[in-house]
């Protein structure tokens, strides 16, 4: 689905499906030089894009197929910086409450050592 549904700049993030077990999906996000800002850490926009992408895939896995949807709310908390020399991040998206019209979810982005770098909650409207 990554190649079929998402814009080329999202595909350029290099996300890879690591585990799919509805209601949860784990993606691996490689840390690339073009996602690091002047402060030497991965920029928040990269993490938010990865979180949003992971949740679309988690919802699709829960449904058994892609259904058009739109992000209503994505509330992100950045808990620690991700240094440029980090190899990858794990992006775990969990569907908390699936509904016919509204879906709620949570995304955890962790460093290779398991420490939480970002946590987000989301709301999606099914179209």
């Amino acid at each position: 689905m990554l190649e079929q549904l998402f814009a080329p700049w999202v595909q350029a993030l290099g996300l890879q499906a690591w585990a799919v077990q509805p209601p949860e999906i784990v993606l691996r996000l490689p840390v690339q030089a073009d996602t690091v800002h002047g402060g030497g850490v991965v920029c928040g926009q990269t993490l938010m894009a990865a979180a949003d992408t992971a949740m679309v895939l988690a919802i699709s896995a829960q449904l058994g197929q892609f259904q058009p949807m739109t992000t209503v709310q994505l509330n992100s908390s950045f808990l620690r910086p991700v240094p440029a020399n980090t190899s990858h991040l794990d992006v775990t998206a969990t569907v908390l409450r699936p509904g016919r019209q509204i879906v709620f979810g949570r995304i955890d982005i962790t460093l290779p050592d398991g420490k939480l770098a970002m946590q987000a909650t989301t709301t999606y409207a099914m179209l």
Side-chain angles (χ1 to χ4, degrees), residues 73-89:
Q73 178 262 342
L74 175 62
N75 184 18
S76 304
S77 296
F78 300 94
L79 304 171
R80 65 178 27 90
V82 177
N85 65 353
T86 304
S87 62
H88 69 276
L89 297 165

Side-chain angles (χ1 to χ4, degrees), residues 47-48 51-52 55 73-80 82 90-94 96 105-110 115-122:
L47 301 180
M48 291 183 71
D52 195 45
M55 186 52 66
Q73 178 262 342
L74 175 62
N75 184 18
S76 304
S77 296
F78 300 94
L79 304 171
R80 65 178 27 90
V82 177
D90 289 324
V91 183
T92 304
T94 306
L96 297 175
R106 182 188 70 237
I107 302 107
D108 293 334
I109 299 182
T110 56
K115 291 182 181 174
L116 195 58
M118 182 185 128
Q119 187 169 63
T121 56
T122 60

